[in-house]
Amino acid sequence: MVEDMKGKIRVFCRIRPMSKVELSRGSSPVVDCLDDYSVTVDTPRGLKEFQFDKVLGMISSQEDVFQDVSRLIQSAVDGFNVCIFAYGQTGSGKTFTMVGDKDLRNPGIMPRAFRTIFDIMQENTSKFDFKVWTYMLELYNERLLDLFVCPTDALSKKIEIKKDKKGLVFAHGAETKEAASAEELFALFEQGCANRHIAATKMNLESSRSHLIVGITVESTNLTNGSVNYGKLSLVDLAGSERAAKTGARDDQLKEANSINKSLSALGDVIFALSTEQAHVPYRNNKLTQLMQDSLGGNAKTLMFVNISASSCSMEETLTSLMYATRVKAITNNAQKNSESKEIAQLREVGGSDELTLTILSLFLGPGPLRAWP
Ligand code: ADP
Ligand code: MG
């Protein structure tokens, strides 16, 4: 029943093509992909080469990107904990990759994943009974906000990051909504997006100054033997990794930039500790690292996109991002399928059994996560 998979975090590098503004300013491309796995940056100190699990060049389409991602969506439906996140400086294409462009003429990973989850479920309705829930959070100025409640109410709502006995992270107190179709899931997503904090900076007019976390859980009950699998898909669009000075941020925006930098540097510390196999990993230093604890060095199948711009004017940030991503590549996760037997699932269904009883019973009845599901 338990399928183990030890594996490195996979890192894909995506290069954004030069924008009209960059070209009109006289910038030139300094990034090139040698093959599907290697990227080079032309620096004043010579050509620097980096290797990743995949390099998606300037002409890569949203379809190309999703092709390599769809297997992970299958894993989430199968009962694995899956995390896909995008890292990079503002304007490098994180939101384009994760969400898509503004009018969704070029939908990104999130809308495609919503569709794929329901397509996979549709193909398996004769064998499984499925349920899908979602929650949506924004980490803004060190505060975790529930995007399914209106912004004024969200400020007074306390969300705590907790871990279940299997080490799976969940957001205690966050609203979870059930979705019966890809359309419903997408409508919930749009509703959440409308509650986000967005400010204009010099580098990217609509850059998001907060981290966006979309969580989707898939419960599947095997109709033959009654066993239940719980899959979790976390889709994370991180805020920009650049230094505050370059974006021209002031006052409120500087505060935001500082707190973004704080959480990303905490993420950097966690990545450093994991990649150098330190005994202590400082997950607790920041809410972002607490939230991503099961995705980095935990039990998730994790894919990181490092988004970079090809332009000469972003060269320093590009090098920093690529070095950061190189560290992430070294981290090993231990992915495990989350399943529980029919008996345990039934006990949970009827309620009245405390976690201790369920734990003891699970020792007799088989492996599985014991956590409070919505
Ligand atoms: P970020 O989220 O990293 O700040 P965005 O995803 O908002 O950056 O991208 C900045 C701009 O570049 C947007 O107008 C976006 O549509 C465009 N863009 C990003 N990546 C690509 C790409 N691969 N192809 C075409 N346009 C892109
Ligand atoms: Mg963005």
Side-chain angles (χ1 to χ4, degrees):
M1 266 173 89
V2 179
E3 224 176 281
D4 290 315
M5 196 200 81
K6 249 197 185 313
K8 296 268 182 218
I9 292 182
R10 303 217 297 158
V11 180
F12 289 4
C13 172
R14 187 177 196 191
I15 309 163
R16 172 174 66 68
M18 300 280 294
S19 69
K20 284 199 191 87
V21 178
E22 285 167 341
L23 289 169
S24 70
R25 274 202 227 123
S27 304
S28 55
V30 291
V31 177
D32 201 10
C33 60
L34 294 180
D35 52 43
D36 281 353
Y37 311 99
S38 324
V39 58
T40 57
V41 186
D42 198 356
T43 80
R45 303 175 290 282
L47 209 61
K48 302 261 184 258
E49 189 177 325
F50 298 85
Q51 241 100 39
F52 296 104
D53 296 291
K54 183 109 194 180
V55 175
L56 295 138
M58 285 187 251
I59 54 161
S60 61
S61 67
Q62 300 287 66
E63 285 77 19
D64 295 337
V65 172
F66 194 70
Q67 206 161 36
D68 290 294
V69 170
S70 55
R71 263 174 304 154
L72 282 172
I73 311 300
Q74 174 78 54
S75 287
V77 178
D78 287 346
F80 284 93
N81 177 19
V82 173
C83 176
I84 304 170
F85 73 102
Y87 177 92
Q89 76 175 121
T90 296
S92 59
K94 298 181 296 298
T95 303
F96 186 79
T97 299
M98 294 305 297
V99 182
D101 52 359
K102 227 181 306 164
D103 45 14
L104 285 188
R105 262 179 308 149
N106 292 296
I109 290 171
M110 292 190 196
R112 285 173 200 268
F114 302 160
R115 164 73 45 212
T116 304
I117 288 172
F118 282 92
D119 284 350
I120 295 170
M121 290 180 349
Q122 189 63 41
E123 284 163 21
N124 292 284
T125 41
S126 60
K127 286 175 256 158
F128 294 93
D129 189 25
F130 292 102
K131 272 193 186 139
V132 175
W133 290 280
T134 181
Y135 61 84
M136 227 170 132
L137 304 171
E138 175 177 52
L139 184 57
Y140 175 74
N141 282 351
E142 317 279 305
R143 295 201 61 158
L144 209 46
L145 301 172
D146 189 339
L147 290 175
F148 285 154
V149 300
C150 76
T152 41
D153 294 345
L155 285 167
S156 57
K157 204 173 158 190
K158 197 167 160 66
I159 297 168
E160 286 177 285
I161 305 156
K162 297 202 169 175
K163 265 198 305 177
D164 68 13
K165 295 195 176 61
K166 272 240 152 175
L168 276 187
V169 172
F170 65 96
H172 183 80
E175 197 87 36
T176 50
K177 306 249 188 202
E178 192 169 346
S181 65
E183 290 73 21
E184 264 185 52
L185 193 52
F186 187 72
L188 287 166
F189 171 72
E190 285 200 303
Q191 182 193 325
C193 286
N195 287 333
R196 286 192 75 182
H197 287 83
I198 290 176
T201 68
K202 266 192 208 164
M203 294 195 79
N204 181 358
L205 222 55
E206 273 190 81
S207 90
S208 55
R209 310 305 300 152
S210 60
H211 309 289
L212 169 71
I213 300 113
V214 179
I216 301 163
T217 57
V218 181
E219 180 190 297
S220 55
T221 307
N222 184 316
L223 295 173
T224 315
N225 65 16
S227 69
V228 185
N229 281 337
Y230 298 98
K232 180 173 113 173
L233 176 64
S234 306
L235 302 166
V236 184
D237 183 7
L238 293 175
S241 62
E242 68 284 345
R243 289 150 298 162
K246 196 167 179 181
T247 56
R250 281 206 195 92
D251 304 330
D252 271 8
Q253 286 183 1
L254 194 62
K255 190 176 156 208
E256 284 175 13
N258 284 339
S259 98
I260 290 164
N261 287 354
K262 216 190 255 179
S263 52
L264 289 174
S265 80
L267 186 62
D269 294 342
V270 162
I271 287 164
F272 179 80
L274 287 167
S275 60
T276 53
E277 296 183 348
Q278 310 276 319
H280 174 69
V281 183
Y283 291 112
R284 298 205 63 80
N285 285 359
N286 191 275
K287 291 201 173 94
L288 179 67
T289 48
Q290 282 177 42
L291 262 174
M292 294 185 75
Q293 183 163 0
D294 57 0
S295 306
L296 299 163
N299 57 8
K301 292 189 180 186
T302 300
L303 170 63
M304 167 178 168
F305 276 90
V306 56
N307 287 95
I308 56 171
S309 146
S311 169
S312 50
C313 60
S314 297
M315 194 202 50
E316 287 299 330
E317 292 291 352
T318 297
L319 283 174
T320 311
S321 294
L322 291 175
M323 285 189 285
Y324 200 97
T326 301
R327 280 218 173 275
V328 175
K329 231 174 49 171
I331 301 172
T332 307
N333 278 7
N334 187 8
Q336 245 177 37
K337 202 156 168 167
N338 306 305
S339 54
E340 60 188 16
S341 67
K342 177 183 164 188
E343 290 79 1
I344 292 284
Q346 277 172 350
L347 280 171
R348 186 186 305 290
E349 192 82 0
V350 296
S353 298
D354 57 44
E355 287 292 307
L356 179 65
T357 314
L358 288 174
T359 307
I360 295 165
L361 280 169
S362 75
L363 294 174
F364 294 99
L365 296 171
L370 293 158
R371 91 202 81 152
W373 280 92

